Amino acid sequence: MINASDKDIVVAANVTKQFGSLKALNDVSLAIPFGAVQCIIGPSGSGKSTLLRCINQLEKIDGGAIWVDGELIGYRRVGDELHELSDAEIARQRLTTGMVFQRFNLFNHMTVLQNIIEGPLTVMKRPRREIVAEGMALLERVGLAEKRDSYPIELSGGQQQRIAIARALAMKPKLMLFDEPTSALDPELVGEVLAVMRDLAASGMTMIVVTHELGFAREVASDVVFMDKGEIVERGAPDAVLVAPQHARTRDFIAAVLK
Amino acid sequence: MSAVTQAGIGRDLAGVAGLRIVPKRFYGRWVAAALILLALAWVVKAFAQGQIAWPVVAQFFTAPAILGGLVNTVIMTVCAMALGIVLGVVFAIMYMSPNPVLRGSALFYIWFFRGTPLLLQLLLWFNLALVFPTIGIPGVMEWRTIDIIGPFMATLLGLGMNQGAYTAEVVRSGILSVDVGQTEAAKSIGMTRLTTLRRIVLPQAMRVIIPPVGNEVISMVKLTSIASVIQYSEILRNAQTVYYANARVIELLIVSAGWYLIVVTLLQIGQYFLERFFSKGRGERRAKPQIAEETGA
């Protein structure tokens, strides 16, 4: 077990996840405090994206338990049994978290502004007038107010990802999950997305960022986790993990990325 | 060496630039076009001189019996297609359910209704009273089957359920065509499975669903004609009734064909606009919807 307190927004305890014979997560325990910018790095297939997807219940865990914002996710405890939650209850639990995907996943049949207000409109059922104003404010914040009536296909990858961030923020989450947000971008577009994320971190948002951008991690992260083969190998302050790693596997990975 | 060649090209370019361009001539196309026009003229001449009483065609084109049949054809097309689409969506979703009973019954439905001839299904529905003299909930309410399943109901059930089996596969392929990332994004903003389907997946699946369904609406218009065998008075059956009386067989068949073509043409125009509507965010589309910026005060 791990030490967890009320100050933690995410507590993962002995989490395992299996895809067929592959152990994607092997007894992973991790507590992340409110206000943290937690970066997770590691080679592909190390389980870092899987961990993020488990926190948002896009994957179902096979063992262990995860609490988000003090609430056990996916199950309700009844005596000494765990009852699976209904679709609607899981949807409600997901309101705590916002998620940004590697491939943006903007709704292709909706304009930029429609994408942003879709959640507040259909999930929170808030009045359109309020949420359009809020949506425009979010678009200003990511610097794309003039694109409000464009369709995703008309935007660059960097612009799409900034819209995706605004869409997640429109639900006013307590925690933002970023699943390799810059990996699908052309190199010259990475900066604009990182700038928005940097701004978000500075505003005090709690963030979990799976990334290969070691520079960003070093600059913005409050804490860095290195994962390999479904396990947490090393954890610590950015300078400790990224500059003077304790484990050979971490050293090899960082050397390979920087090469 | 290369400098010399470049100089040569440069000299040629200067000489060529001002010359007149004569387009290529396509002699084969001209011959083909001429042959087709000739054949067309021959067909027109044959019909003009043939044993067709064109005034009779004109007279019966708007005859009450024909127009009544036309209305019934259109009503049946709309009802059977509506039933087919509803069943298609329901069975497509059942087919994709993890529940083996739901999935199994969808598979059985598609297997049965795609696997037997439509005409046979119509006859089965029409003769249902032979098997079940009464239908309903025993003891609560019951009706005589023969009162409920007349030509209209039998045709509707036959065409609609058969259509549903085909439409289920079309809808399923449409749903599968939508990237799984769209579903994940919808879930991540707190949508339930049903809202995701309604707001995100189905609207995008429509782009793939509309062309084949449009195709099926058009074949439905014509399929209604087989309901003439179970006495549903659609346009072809009414035309037959008329020509049994006046022996103007070809004239009345021409009248029917004319009406089918008119209905199908209108449907094709409708399909064009529907496709344009659902291709939103896919390059070609109509004017963008504007969201009013109602900022309150």
Side-chain angles (χ1 to χ4, degrees):
Chain A
M1 274 311 285
I2 55 160
N3 290 321
S5 75
D6 291 346
K7 291 198 194 77
D8 294 322
I9 187 158
V10 174
V11 177
N14 310 99
V15 172
T16 54
K17 172 72 192 175
Q18 200 119 6
F19 292 114
S21 61
L22 175 83
K23 270 212 156 112
L25 293 176
N26 188 10
D27 201 26
V28 169
S29 294
L30 182 68
I32 299 167
F34 277 97
V37 177
Q38 176 73 61
C39 282
I40 305 178
I41 60 169
S44 56
S46 60
K48 53 196 195 309
S49 285
T50 306
L51 179 61
L52 210 61
R53 292 167 60 81
C54 287
I55 293 172
N56 209 16
Q57 305 192 60
L58 292 176
E59 306 287 351
K60 220 166 147 185
I61 58 177
D62 297 318
I66 300 175
W67 288 263
V68 174
D69 196 21
E71 196 177 346
L72 179 65
I73 63 165
Y75 299 94
R76 185 190 311 107
R77 193 168 172 168
V78 181
D80 45 1
E81 288 174 328
L82 289 182
H83 290 205
E84 257 183 52
L85 292 183
S86 73
D87 183 39
E89 287 166 314
I90 289 174
R92 181 190 57 75
Q93 286 191 332
R94 286 203 185 100
L95 293 179
T96 314
T97 54
M99 183 141 180
V100 175
F101 299 87
Q102 185 178 346
R103 302 206 44 83
F104 331 132
N105 296 348
L106 289 179
F107 304 133
N108 297 315
H109 60 309
M110 297 181 180
T111 63
V112 163
L113 188 56
Q114 285 172 332
N115 261 278
I116 292 175
I117 66 172
E118 178 64 13
L121 190 69
T122 56
V123 178
M124 298 166 120
K125 306 215 167 14
R126 295 178 51 202
R128 180 178 284 266
R129 180 206 285 180
E130 264 176 52
I131 59 182
V132 166
E134 278 182 24
M136 284 312 294
L138 281 167
L139 276 178
E140 297 281 356
R141 186 168 169 186
V142 299
L144 289 168
E146 80 283 2
K147 298 290 186 191
R148 51 175 275 171
D149 294 319
S150 301
Y151 282 91
I153 197 176
E154 300 162 345
L155 304 176
S156 74
Q159 291 171 330
Q160 289 193 48
Q161 195 61 299
R162 283 146 70 196
I163 302 295
I165 294 172
R167 177 179 65 182
L169 291 175
M171 298 300 288
K172 303 196 168 130
K174 292 184 183 173
L175 167 68
M176 285 284 286
L177 307 173
F178 291 85
D179 187 4
E180 301 197 29
T182 58
S183 298
L185 295 177
D186 292 337
E188 78 272 20
L189 303 176
V190 169
E192 60 187 76
V193 172
L194 292 183
V196 168
M197 291 170 63
R198 209 173 277 130
D199 167 61
L200 197 58
S203 76
M205 174 62 79
T206 311
M207 297 160 61
I208 305 179
V209 186
V210 169
T211 186
H212 291 296
E213 295 292 329
L214 300 188
F216 172 82
R218 194 170 166 200
E219 178 196 344
V220 180
S222 55
D223 189 90
V224 175
V225 161
F226 171 72
M227 286 182 74
D228 191 20
K229 301 197 175 87
E231 290 169 352
I232 291 178
V233 176
E234 187 163 352
R235 181 180 190 187
D239 282 338
V241 177
L242 298 171
V243 181
Q246 299 297 303
H247 288 77
R249 278 197 276 175
T250 320
R251 270 197 295 277
D252 292 347
F253 172 74
I254 290 171
V257 171
L258 293 182
K259 194 152 57 179
Chain B
M1 173 75 190
S2 80
V4 172
T5 316
Q6 273 175 14
I9 291 169
R11 210 169 35 239
D12 268 5
L13 259 180
V16 156
L19 302 181
R20 193 171 71 93
I21 294 167
V22 180
K24 206 192 313 184
R25 296 207 166 84
F26 297 94
Y27 297 106
R29 289 185 199 169
W30 284 104
V31 172
L35 282 175
I36 287 169
L37 285 177
L38 210 65
L40 213 62
W42 181 78
V43 170
V44 169
K45 180 171 177 285
F47 269 87
Q49 293 180 338
Q51 302 293 316
I52 300 169
W54 290 103
V56 176
V57 172
Q59 180 199 338
F60 278 96
F61 206 76
T62 52
I66 297 297
L67 291 183
L70 175 69
V71 169
N72 282 342
T73 292
V74 171
I75 288 176
M76 183 51 70
T77 303
V78 171
C79 293
M81 211 56 220
L83 180 62
I85 289 171
V86 169
L87 289 174
V89 172
V90 169
F91 280 99
I93 293 169
M94 281 170 67
Y95 194 133
M96 299 167 92
S97 159
N99 182 323
V101 176
L102 293 183
R103 188 181 150 78
S105 28
L107 275 168
F108 177 83
Y109 169 82
I110 293 170
W111 170 75
F112 181 82
F113 286 96
R114 278 203 315 189
T116 51
L118 179 57
L119 185 54
L120 186 149
Q121 289 173 33
L122 284 187
L123 291 170
L124 274 180
W125 286 113
F126 194 55
N127 293 303
L128 199 66
L130 298 178
V131 196
F132 309 108
T134 58
I135 47 176
I137 307 162
V140 185
M141 25 181 180
E142 281 181 85
W143 300 274
R144 286 168 56 215
T145 306
I146 212 155
D147 294 338
I148 291 186
I149 312 246
F152 180 84
M153 267 317 246
T155 308
L156 175 61
L157 287 170
L159 292 177
M161 298 206 50
N162 184 73
Q163 188 56 50
Y166 285 93
T167 309
E169 287 292 78
V170 172
V171 172
R172 196 170 66 94
S173 65
I175 290 174
L176 289 177
S177 77
V178 179
D179 184 62
V180 69
Q182 297 284 309
T183 308
E184 291 187 347
K187 284 179 176 174
S188 80
I189 57 169
M191 283 193 187
T192 58
R193 217 170 296 160
L194 217 64
T195 313
T196 304
L197 199 65
R198 188 171 57 81
R199 294 285 306 175
I200 307 300
V201 177
L202 281 179
Q204 295 186 65
M206 289 308 270
R207 201 179 53 86
V208 173
I209 293 173
I210 296 276
V213 167
N215 201 23
E216 285 174 357
V217 172
I218 285 166
S219 59
M220 179 65 87
V221 174
K222 296 167 295 164
L223 264 184
T224 53
S225 64
I226 76 162
S228 59
V229 299
I230 56 168
Q231 293 145 41
Y232 180 66
S233 65
E234 44 68 57
I235 191 164
L236 186 60
R237 182 180 164 80
N238 288 9
Q240 283 179 312
T241 312
V242 174
Y243 72 60
Y244 288 148
N246 69 3
R248 294 293 191 182
V249 178
I250 294 297
E251 287 79 1
L252 278 143
L253 290 180
I254 289 174
V255 166
S256 311
W259 276 116
Y260 280 118
L261 285 170
I262 288 171
V263 172
V264 166
T265 305
L266 292 176
L267 286 172
Q268 276 176 344
I269 295 169
Q271 183 181 348
Y272 168 77
F273 285 103
L274 216 55
E275 277 181 29
R276 265 217 322 198
F277 177 76
F278 281 108
S279 66
K280 271 186 301 184
R282 290 276 173 179
E284 21 165 352
R285 81 181 164 264
R286 63 197 183 107
K288 293 168 186 174
Q290 297 283 320
I291 298 178
E293 198 169 350
E294 307 161 68
T295 32

PDB file of all heavy atoms in Angstrom, chain B residues 151-168:
ATOM      1  N   PRO B 151     -54.136  -6.370 -46.419  1.00  0.00           N
ATOM      2  CA  PRO B 151     -53.074  -6.130 -47.409  1.00  0.00           C
ATOM      3  C   PRO B 151     -52.091  -5.054 -46.962  1.00  0.00           C
ATOM      4  O   PRO B 151     -50.884  -5.209 -47.126  1.00  0.00           O
ATOM      5  CB  PRO B 151     -53.858  -5.679 -48.639  1.00  0.00           C
ATOM      6  CG  PRO B 151     -55.204  -6.282 -48.481  1.00  0.00           C
ATOM      7  CD  PRO B 151     -55.473  -6.313 -47.010  1.00  0.00           C
ATOM      8  N   PHE B 152     -52.590  -3.951 -46.350  1.00  0.00           N
ATOM      9  CA  PHE B 152     -51.677  -2.876 -45.943  1.00  0.00           C
ATOM     10  C   PHE B 152     -50.701  -3.356 -44.880  1.00  0.00           C
ATOM     11  O   PHE B 152     -49.487  -3.215 -45.020  1.00  0.00           O
ATOM     12  CB  PHE B 152     -52.477  -1.672 -45.433  1.00  0.00           C
ATOM     13  CG  PHE B 152     -51.591  -0.532 -44.999  1.00  0.00           C
ATOM     14  CD1 PHE B 152     -51.120   0.380 -45.933  1.00  0.00           C
ATOM     15  CD2 PHE B 152     -51.210  -0.398 -43.663  1.00  0.00           C
ATOM     16  CE1 PHE B 152     -50.280   1.413 -45.537  1.00  0.00           C
ATOM     17  CE2 PHE B 152     -50.373   0.633 -43.269  1.00  0.00           C
ATOM     18  CZ  PHE B 152     -49.909   1.537 -44.205  1.00  0.00           C
ATOM     19  N   MET B 153     -51.234  -3.957 -43.801  1.00  0.00           N
ATOM     20  CA  MET B 153     -50.368  -4.400 -42.709  1.00  0.00           C
ATOM     21  C   MET B 153     -49.387  -5.463 -43.167  1.00  0.00           C
ATOM     22  O   MET B 153     -48.200  -5.439 -42.811  1.00  0.00           O
ATOM     23  CB  MET B 153     -51.238  -4.962 -41.571  1.00  0.00           C
ATOM     24  CG  MET B 153     -51.578  -3.938 -40.516  1.00  0.00           C
ATOM     25  SD  MET B 153     -50.184  -2.929 -40.066  1.00  0.00           S
ATOM     26  CE  MET B 153     -49.947  -3.442 -38.409  1.00  0.00           C
ATOM     27  N   ALA B 154     -49.886  -6.416 -43.958  1.00  0.00           N
ATOM     28  CA  ALA B 154     -49.008  -7.495 -44.426  1.00  0.00           C
ATOM     29  C   ALA B 154     -47.867  -6.932 -45.266  1.00  0.00           C
ATOM     30  O   ALA B 154     -46.703  -7.316 -45.107  1.00  0.00           O
ATOM     31  CB  ALA B 154     -49.807  -8.513 -45.225  1.00  0.00           C
ATOM     32  N   THR B 155     -48.189  -5.959 -46.127  1.00  0.00           N
ATOM     33  CA  THR B 155     -47.153  -5.351 -46.969  1.00  0.00           C
ATOM     34  C   THR B 155     -46.167  -4.564 -46.114  1.00  0.00           C
ATOM     35  O   THR B 155     -44.945  -4.667 -46.277  1.00  0.00           O
ATOM     36  CB  THR B 155     -47.791  -4.405 -48.007  1.00  0.00           C
ATOM     37  OG1 THR B 155     -48.812  -5.115 -48.682  1.00  0.00           O
ATOM     38  CG2 THR B 155     -46.769  -3.912 -48.993  1.00  0.00           C
ATOM     39  N   LEU B 156     -46.717  -3.774 -45.184  1.00  0.00           N
ATOM     40  CA  LEU B 156     -45.860  -2.963 -44.321  1.00  0.00           C
ATOM     41  C   LEU B 156     -44.887  -3.847 -43.533  1.00  0.00           C
ATOM     42  O   LEU B 156     -43.680  -3.596 -43.498  1.00  0.00           O
ATOM     43  CB  LEU B 156     -46.725  -2.134 -43.367  1.00  0.00           C
ATOM     44  CG  LEU B 156     -45.965  -1.325 -42.317  1.00  0.00           C
ATOM     45  CD1 LEU B 156     -45.055  -0.318 -42.990  1.00  0.00           C
ATOM     46  CD2 LEU B 156     -46.927  -0.612 -41.380  1.00  0.00           C
ATOM     47  N   LEU B 157     -45.436  -4.912 -42.917  1.00  0.00           N
ATOM     48  CA  LEU B 157     -44.573  -5.793 -42.120  1.00  0.00           C
ATOM     49  C   LEU B 157     -43.553  -6.503 -43.012  1.00  0.00           C
ATOM     50  O   LEU B 157     -42.367  -6.591 -42.678  1.00  0.00           O
ATOM     51  CB  LEU B 157     -45.427  -6.825 -41.369  1.00  0.00           C
ATOM     52  CG  LEU B 157     -46.222  -6.256 -40.202  1.00  0.00           C
ATOM     53  CD1 LEU B 157     -47.213  -7.287 -39.677  1.00  0.00           C
ATOM     54  CD2 LEU B 157     -45.279  -5.811 -39.084  1.00  0.00           C
ATOM     55  N   GLY B 158     -44.021  -6.977 -44.147  1.00  0.00           N
ATOM     56  CA  GLY B 158     -43.121  -7.708 -45.050  1.00  0.00           C
ATOM     57  C   GLY B 158     -41.990  -6.824 -45.539  1.00  0.00           C
ATOM     58  O   GLY B 158     -40.804  -7.146 -45.366  1.00  0.00           O
ATOM     59  N   LEU B 159     -42.345  -5.669 -46.112  1.00  0.00           N
ATOM     60  CA  LEU B 159     -41.314  -4.782 -46.667  1.00  0.00           C
ATOM     61  C   LEU B 159     -40.461  -4.186 -45.555  1.00  0.00           C
ATOM     62  O   LEU B 159     -39.235  -4.123 -45.659  1.00  0.00           O
ATOM     63  CB  LEU B 159     -41.962  -3.653 -47.477  1.00  0.00           C
ATOM     64  CG  LEU B 159     -42.671  -4.055 -48.773  1.00  0.00           C
ATOM     65  CD1 LEU B 159     -43.331  -2.840 -49.410  1.00  0.00           C
ATOM     66  CD2 LEU B 159     -41.707  -4.690 -49.745  1.00  0.00           C
ATOM     67  N   GLY B 160     -41.099  -3.736 -44.469  1.00  0.00           N
ATOM     68  CA  GLY B 160     -40.381  -3.056 -43.392  1.00  0.00           C
ATOM     69  C   GLY B 160     -39.402  -3.970 -42.683  1.00  0.00           C
ATOM     70  O   GLY B 160     -38.254  -3.594 -42.437  1.00  0.00           O
ATOM     71  N   MET B 161     -39.831  -5.195 -42.367  1.00  0.00           N
ATOM     72  CA  MET B 161     -38.939  -6.082 -41.630  1.00  0.00           C
ATOM     73  C   MET B 161     -37.813  -6.583 -42.514  1.00  0.00           C
ATOM     74  O   MET B 161     -36.682  -6.755 -42.060  1.00  0.00           O
ATOM     75  CB  MET B 161     -39.724  -7.245 -41.025  1.00  0.00           C
ATOM     76  CG  MET B 161     -40.742  -6.703 -40.046  1.00  0.00           C
ATOM     77  SD  MET B 161     -41.282  -7.759 -38.718  1.00  0.00           S
ATOM     78  CE  MET B 161     -39.890  -8.395 -37.938  1.00  0.00           C
ATOM     79  N   ASN B 162     -38.117  -6.808 -43.779  1.00  0.00           N
ATOM     80  CA  ASN B 162     -37.069  -7.199 -44.715  1.00  0.00           C
ATOM     81  C   ASN B 162     -36.049  -6.068 -44.862  1.00  0.00           C
ATOM     82  O   ASN B 162     -34.840  -6.281 -44.820  1.00  0.00           O
ATOM     83  CB  ASN B 162     -37.711  -7.521 -46.065  1.00  0.00           C
ATOM     84  CG  ASN B 162     -36.705  -8.040 -47.062  1.00  0.00           C
ATOM     85  OD1 ASN B 162     -36.247  -9.158 -46.943  1.00  0.00           O
ATOM     86  ND2 ASN B 162     -36.345  -7.209 -48.014  1.00  0.00           N
ATOM     87  N   GLN B 163     -36.577  -4.831 -44.981  1.00  0.00           N
ATOM     88  CA  GLN B 163     -35.692  -3.674 -45.111  1.00  0.00           C
ATOM     89  C   GLN B 163     -34.829  -3.505 -43.873  1.00  0.00           C
ATOM     90  O   GLN B 163     -33.648  -3.201 -43.968  1.00  0.00           O
ATOM     91  CB  GLN B 163     -36.540  -2.413 -45.353  1.00  0.00           C
ATOM     92  CG  GLN B 163     -35.736  -1.193 -45.698  1.00  0.00           C
ATOM     93  CD  GLN B 163     -34.868  -1.446 -46.900  1.00  0.00           C
ATOM     94  OE1 GLN B 163     -35.319  -1.926 -47.931  1.00  0.00           O
ATOM     95  NE2 GLN B 163     -33.586  -1.158 -46.781  1.00  0.00           N
ATOM     96  N   GLY B 164     -35.432  -3.714 -42.700  1.00  0.00           N
ATOM     97  CA  GLY B 164     -34.694  -3.571 -41.450  1.00  0.00           C
ATOM     98  C   GLY B 164     -33.463  -4.452 -41.407  1.00  0.00           C
ATOM     99  O   GLY B 164     -32.407  -4.046 -40.909  1.00  0.00           O
ATOM    100  N   ALA B 165     -33.582  -5.662 -41.945  1.00  0.00           N
ATOM    101  CA  ALA B 165     -32.449  -6.590 -41.924  1.00  0.00           C
ATOM    102  C   ALA B 165     -31.283  -6.042 -42.755  1.00  0.00           C
ATOM    103  O   ALA B 165     -30.123  -6.161 -42.366  1.00  0.00           O
ATOM    104  CB  ALA B 165     -32.882  -7.955 -42.448  1.00  0.00           C
ATOM    105  N   TYR B 166     -31.603  -5.433 -43.895  1.00  0.00           N
ATOM    106  CA  TYR B 166     -30.535  -4.858 -44.720  1.00  0.00           C
ATOM    107  C   TYR B 166     -29.997  -3.574 -44.101  1.00  0.00           C
ATOM    108  O   TYR B 166     -28.800  -3.331 -44.068  1.00  0.00           O
ATOM    109  CB  TYR B 166     -31.050  -4.577 -46.136  1.00  0.00           C
ATOM    110  CG  TYR B 166     -31.186  -5.835 -46.952  1.00  0.00           C
ATOM    111  CD1 TYR B 166     -32.381  -6.528 -47.008  1.00  0.00           C
ATOM    112  CD2 TYR B 166     -30.098  -6.347 -47.645  1.00  0.00           C
ATOM    113  CE1 TYR B 166     -32.504  -7.698 -47.728  1.00  0.00           C
ATOM    114  CE2 TYR B 166     -30.205  -7.506 -48.381  1.00  0.00           C
ATOM    115  CZ  TYR B 166     -31.408  -8.181 -48.423  1.00  0.00           C
ATOM    116  OH  TYR B 166     -31.521  -9.337 -49.127  1.00  0.00           O
ATOM    117  N   THR B 167     -30.929  -2.730 -43.620  1.00  0.00           N
ATOM    118  CA  THR B 167     -30.510  -1.443 -43.063  1.00  0.00           C
ATOM    119  C   THR B 167     -29.649  -1.640 -41.818  1.00  0.00           C
ATOM    120  O   THR B 167     -28.736  -0.856 -41.561  1.00  0.00           O
ATOM    121  CB  THR B 167     -31.735  -0.571 -42.750  1.00  0.00           C
ATOM    122  OG1 THR B 167     -32.558  -0.529 -43.908  1.00  0.00           O
ATOM    123  CG2 THR B 167     -31.342   0.838 -42.375  1.00  0.00           C
ATOM    124  N   ALA B 168     -29.916  -2.713 -41.043  1.00  0.00           N
ATOM    125  CA  ALA B 168     -29.106  -2.977 -39.850  1.00  0.00           C
ATOM    126  C   ALA B 168     -27.627  -3.081 -40.237  1.00  0.00           C
ATOM    127  O   ALA B 168     -26.763  -2.514 -39.560  1.00  0.00           O
ATOM    128  CB  ALA B 168     -29.565  -4.267 -39.176  1.00  0.00           C
TER     129      ALA B 168
END
